[in-house]
Amino acid sequence: SLSPTGAQTTQLLVEPPWRPAVLWDRVTLTCQGSGTIGATTWYKDGRRWGQQGPGRVTITESGTYTCDGPGTGHSPPVTVSDDPLVLQVPARALVEGDTLTLRCRG
């Protein structure tokens, strides 16, 4: 679902804020949107995964997650992997000229 300006209104925030997200980092996902307050519907690998009131979950299984807040539509997907070795970048928008910190973890 898109807003009239074409911007996505539901976002999935990742803690810790590194991409790719990895299971052994104890990843927490928070669903944020501009809709009304209510239960958040979660999806894992394209299937309904459950409904949580506060819009925040700690991930215990690898997979691709999205959320849907009341009246805000689906968030962009976030993949949480269980890879033993990853090269991570900050989970934020980057533009040319930004200083970038990379993490190689395993």
Side-chain angles (χ1 to χ4, degrees), residues 8-12 31-32 42 65-69 72-78:
Q8 193 119 28
T9 57
T10 303
Q11 294 298 318
L12 203 45
C31 191
Q32 287 195 337
W42 291 92
Y65 294 86
T66 59
C67 70
D68 192 356
T72 63
H74 271 330
S75 69
V78 168

Side-chain angles (χ1 to χ4, degrees), residues 3 11 14 21 25 30 42 67 77 87 90 98:
S3 72
Q11 294 298 318
V14 183
D25 247 350
T30 303
W42 291 92
C67 70
L87 181 63
D98 280 355

Side-chain angles (χ1 to χ4, degrees), residues 21-41:
V22 286
L23 204 54
W24 41 267
D25 247 350
R26 193 168 157 76
V27 175
T28 299
L29 301 178
T30 303
C31 191
Q32 287 195 337
S34 59
T36 58
I37 295 173
T40 299
T41 304

Side-chain angles (χ1 to χ4, degrees), residues 27-96:
V27 175
T28 299
L29 301 178
T30 303
C31 191
Q32 287 195 337
S34 59
T36 58
I37 295 173
T40 299
T41 304
W42 291 92
Y43 299 85
K44 179 181 180 283
D45 299 326
R47 295 189 174 151
R48 189 179 169 126
W49 182 54
Q51 214 163 16
Q52 308 283 338
R56 183 178 175 100
V57 293
T58 299
I59 302 303
T60 58
E61 297 177 3
S62 60
T64 300
Y65 294 86
T66 59
C67 70
D68 192 356
T72 63
H74 271 330
S75 69
V78 168
T79 299
V80 179
S81 75
D82 59 359
D83 292 338
L85 180 65
V86 293
L87 181 63
Q88 293 179 308
V89 298
R92 63 178 175 84
L94 298 169
V95 295
E96 187 176 345

